[in-house]
Amino acid sequence: FPEIDYVIGQYPMLTSFHIETADLVFPLREWLEEPMVNMTQLNTQWLQNECVHIGETVSHSIPAAQVVAKCSELMGGALPGLKPGYLGSSTEEEVKAAVAETLRAPSWDELVKDTDKYVPCITPADEYFNYHQHEMVVDDGLPAGFGTESRKIETYCQILLKLSRTGYPFCYPEPQEACADYSPICSYIEPAESPLADTEYPFVLTSGRVSYFHHGTMRHAPFSRELHPTAEIRINPVSAKELGIAHMDWVKISSRRGEVHARAYLTEGVNPKAVWMERFWNPECYDASQPNPTAGWRECNVNVLTKNDAPFNEVYGSYTNRGFTVKIEKSEKPAGVWVEPAEFTPFLPTADLLAEAQTKDVF
């Protein structure tokens, strides 16, 4: 990214990526602020109405569409390679009109006025479901069959092998030869970093998420952070006792790639030789009140520990996000990380933001 001339980011608040990389950031709505349609149970669609806006927020499609429209104007009315409408609606009114149309309402105002009449919008089964697609005759005069190269049910997924090894059909214009070392029969392979023989890093780490946040979002929400203020690593009490670690002590977790910090959460829900850690980042680390601001992702982020070099998974080509070895030792809280509820006061909305919430076009 440092080699890219100009980076534009879009998000409800500044993230570590924006702090380190972006030249320009557009403030967007969080997903709960966005009027949109959510589908459940296949053919049933619901309205996700707008909640209260705090600060300047717009639909995610608006800034990019307006930037491209302005560039197009300055470059003579056209941008090569961009199809009209590719970037979605360019105004708030068009977004709401599209939502109303999807829910079969005559207008957004009518939809909001009588939501129960249009929501949920249920597509009749005879319109939504399309059976016997495999019998449809295609351009070579044969039935379409299944979505495989042989058009039959395949236990050996040839197209998956091509995708994992070459990127086909998404990254290459021509089919590539499949590699020969993909076995359709599963067999156990000891991990490259195995807790069975690793005395320097004796714990195997697995990762997951907590219910207070969705991946990296909402780490700036003060009340969510009060419930779950910082990263935690779950350790078996037997292992913690051997290390001299008590419940909620700060610990340092180290792998062969780096080190991060978290609070120890003692539980018998993990094996004595395993630990569990949620991915976490700390936007408070670059708050204006910090004497030495950082980007906020090095302090408590489990991604610092992950193994992103060979060996890769031979079928999917993915690197090791979990199942690698770490060591744990008692430590201190990193500088700049907030834990107490009162510390999150800078994240609370100000009177000015609440009084003049902006939801209109940004240009």
Side-chain angles (χ1 to χ4, degrees):
F1 281 102
E3 298 179 4
I4 298 176
D5 292 335
Y6 202 80
V7 178
I8 299 176
Q10 297 195 141
Y11 212 56
M13 70 289 188
L14 294 175
T15 69
S16 295
F17 176 83
H18 298 134
I19 292 295
E20 292 195 323
T21 307
D23 299 286
L24 176 65
V25 180
F26 290 119
L28 301 183
R29 291 172 170 172
E30 182 54 89
W31 67 279
L32 283 176
E33 297 178 305
E34 185 77 10
M36 60 188 295
V37 176
N38 283 321
M39 177 179 288
T40 58
Q41 298 178 351
L42 299 178
N43 63 329
T44 304
Q45 299 182 97
W46 299 83
L47 172 65
Q48 178 178 293
N49 211 337
E50 300 173 81
C51 67
V52 175
H53 296 269
I54 298 177
E56 182 186 34
T57 54
V58 295
S59 176
H60 65 274
S61 62
I62 291 176
Q66 293 183 334
V67 168
V68 170
K70 189 64 176 180
C71 291
S72 177
E73 176 187 334
L74 296 174
M75 297 176 68
L79 288 176
L82 286 179
K83 300 178 181 178
Y86 174 76
L87 291 171
S89 303
S90 58
T91 68
E92 182 94 1
E93 290 70 26
E94 289 176 339
V95 172
K96 292 181 176 180
V99 171
E101 181 181 2
T102 301
L103 295 174
R104 303 182 182 184
S107 67
W108 172 261
D109 291 339
E110 178 65 25
L111 173 62
V112 174
K113 178 182 177 182
D114 194 1
T115 304
D116 291 340
K117 180 179 178 180
Y118 303 101
V119 179
C121 179
I122 302 174
T123 305
D126 57 348
E127 294 182 23
Y128 184 83
F129 295 102
N130 186 2
Y131 297 103
H132 309 294
Q133 292 176 329
H134 63 288
E135 296 179 353
M136 180 176 61
V137 176
V138 293
D139 53 7
D140 62 0
L142 299 174
F146 291 90
T148 62
E149 288 192 311
S150 66
R151 301 184 184 178
K152 301 177 182 179
I153 294 177
E154 294 181 355
T155 56
Y156 186 95
C157 192
Q158 190 78 13
I159 193 66
L160 176 61
L161 179 64
K162 289 185 176 181
L163 171 63
S164 66
R165 292 300 190 184
T166 68
Y168 174 82
F170 300 106
C171 299
Y172 287 79
E174 300 294 337
Q176 306 292 314
E177 291 296 324
C179 297
D181 61 350
Y182 164 42
S183 172
I185 301 175
C186 296
S187 59
Y188 177 76
I189 301 173
E190 187 67 20
E193 293 184 3
S194 170
L196 298 180
D198 198 337
T199 56
E200 184 179 3
Y201 298 89
F203 295 95
V204 60
L205 184 145
T206 186
S207 61
R209 55 170 290 197
V210 296
S211 56
Y212 302 103
F213 311 105
H214 183 256
H215 301 297
T217 66
M218 306 308 293
R219 308 289 177 170
H220 70 301
F223 301 123
S224 295
R225 287 293 299 278
E226 181 177 345
L227 292 171
H228 193 84
T230 192
E232 296 174 357
I233 184 166
R234 298 182 187 178
I235 308 174
N236 189 282
V238 173
S239 302
K241 185 177 181 180
E242 294 175 354
L243 297 169
I245 295 171
H247 185 65
M248 287 293 134
D249 277 350
W250 277 93
V251 297
K252 181 174 73 173
I253 309 100
S254 306
S255 74
R256 289 180 170 84
R257 272 71 58 190
E259 61 185 44
V260 294
H261 292 76
R263 294 197 301 188
Y265 187 102
L266 273 55
T267 172
E268 294 183 352
V270 293
N271 187 281
K273 296 295 291 183
V275 291
W276 179 98
M277 187 173 178
E278 193 255 352
R279 49 198 182 273
F280 207 99
W281 64 282
N282 301 78
E284 67 268 24
C285 287
Y286 50 78
D287 186 78
S289 64
Q290 295 284 6
N292 298 298
T294 71
W297 64 271
R298 301 177 189 272
E299 287 81 358
C300 300
N301 193 342
V302 73
N303 290 340
V304 174
L305 309 174
T306 54
K307 186 173 176 59
N308 61 357
D309 54 1
F312 292 92
N313 178 288
E314 67 173 28
V315 179
Y316 290 92
S318 60
Y319 55 84
T320 308
N321 281 319
R322 55 181 64 86
F324 54 87
T325 55
V326 298
K327 62 181 177 182
I328 302 169
E329 54 193 297
K330 193 171 180 178
S331 184
E332 300 293 333
K333 180 177 75 69
V337 171
W338 294 342
V339 175
E340 300 302 324
E343 292 181 297
F344 298 106
T345 300
F347 287 169
L348 289 169
T350 64
D352 290 339
L353 286 175
L354 291 172
E356 298 185 14
Q358 303 296 314
T359 62
K360 300 301 181 183
D361 296 0
V362 293
F363 289 101

